[in-house]
Amino acid sequence: MSAATPQATPVTPGVWVLPSQGNGFAVDTPDGVVVVDTGPGGRKTDNMIAALRVVTDSPVSAICYSHGHFGYNFGVPQWLEHNAERGDAAPRLIAHRNLPLRYERYRETEGYQMILNEMQFPGISARFDPVRHDPTETFDDHLVLREAEPRIELLWVPSETDDALAMWLPETSTLFTGAAVPAEFIPNVGTPQRSLRLTGRWADTIDRLAELRPEILVIEFGDFVVGAELNLKRMTTTSRALRWLRAEVIDRLNHGMNERGILADISYPPEIFDYPWLSHAYGSPDYIVRDLIREESGWWDRNPTSLHPSAPAEVARVTFDAIADPDAVIARAETLAADGDPQLAMHVIDLVALGPDDEPAVIRARKIKSDLCRARSKEIAPYPSKGLYKSSGIRLKQGIISWEGVVQ
C-alpha cells in the first residue's frame, strides 16, 4: 500500500475505523473480521481492503450494511472477490430487514435517484457505479452477532433511514453509530429532495443509544470521540434540539400557521443549538422544520391557486404577458442583488425568469438568476443547499430548462 493510501485507524486492540464513504468499521475476532460497510466501489473500496490487510490477515467473515443510502455498499462485489481470491468462504451479508425494501425502491426509481443525486452533487454520476448487492441475512431490532468475547451486537437505529444499524461492543464500551449520530452537524432531517425522516423517531433512537453510555463513539464521519460524559452530552443535546424543534413547530401548527409563516417566525436559541456538533454544515434547523410540517400535513401550500394549477407553459405565457415592463422587474432584481439580498432578488426575478422560453427578457432573466444562485450558494451553510444552488445555476447559465421541464 502506498503512502498516499488511506490507513486503518486503530480504535481499541483489534478494532479499526476504515476509510470508506464516511467511516467504515472492522472488528477482528477468532472467527474472522466483521466489517461495517464496503465503500462506494472502485479505487476507494480497493484502498479500504488494502488498509484492512495492513493490520490483519484474518478472513472477512461478515459484512454489515450501516444503511441503504447511495454508495455505502456499492463495493460489496469487490469484497466478495477478495475473499474468493484468498480462498476464504463468502462472508455473511447482514442488514436490517428494511434495507432490501429500500434497495427495491431505489431500483424501481433508478432514473429519478440519479436525477436527485446530480442536482445535489453535480458530477456524481461519473464517480459511481450504483451496484446494489442484497444482503443474505436480515434482522429486526437486535442481533447478537457474536456471544463470546469480543461480543458484537447489532442494533436497529432508525434515524436518517429506517434501515440503519449500529454496532455495540460492550467489553470496551465502543459504539459504532453509523448514520444515527451525525458528525459535526445537526441531524440530516428534511434534506430538500428526500423522503420523511421522522424527527421524533430519530430523537428516540439517540436517547436509546445514550443509555448505553459509550466510552468510545465512532460516528459516521470524522474522528471517533472518547469520553463517556462528552458522548452523553453530545447525544442528549442533539436529542433535545430535535424535540425542541418538534414542540415549537407543533405549537405553531396548532395556531394555524403555514410553512412560510413558521419559518419566518421561529428562531433557534443558542442554549439549545450552539454546540459544535449541531452546526449547519450539512443539516439545517430550517430543513427539520419543513420535514416536521410535512409529517403533519399534506402537500397544499394554502394558496388556492395551487390546488388545481394550469399547465406550466400556459402559466408562463399569461404571467409574462401580464407584466407591463419586464425590464423594470429585472432592474429591480438587480438592485436587490447589488444591495446584498440575492434571495429577495430571486423572488423578483422569477416573475420574468419563469416565463416563455423564446422571450429575450426571459433568457436574460435566467442568466441573472444563474448569478443569483451562485451568490446564494456562497451565503448558505448547509451542503445540500449549496449543491442545489450550484447545479441550478449551471443549468440556467447553459440555457437548459429544469429537471422537470420547467425553468427553476
Side-chain angles (χ1 to χ4, degrees), residues 15-16 35 61 64 67 75 83 89 111 117 132 136-137 151 171 199 236 259 262 276 286 294 299 316 318 322 392 396:
V15 178
W16 302 272
V35 172
S61 60
C64 305
H67 64 303
N83 268 35
N117 285 321
R132 295 189 174 90
T136 57
E137 304 174 38
R151 182 180 174 89
E171 282 92 1
T199 302
T236 55
E259 179 182 285
I262 293 173
D286 283 357
R294 284 199 299 157
W299 51 263
V318 299
S392 297
L396 285 162

Side-chain angles (χ1 to χ4, degrees), residues 249-262 293-294 296-307:
V249 168
I250 295 301
D251 178 67
R252 286 164 174 79
L253 287 174
N254 285 336
H255 284 84
M257 297 178 69
N258 65 9
E259 179 182 285
R260 288 201 173 186
I262 293 173
I293 295 167
R294 284 199 299 157
E296 302 299 336
S297 60
W299 51 263
W300 187 42
D301 62 2
R302 302 192 188 178
N303 178 357
T305 305
S306 68
L307 275 172

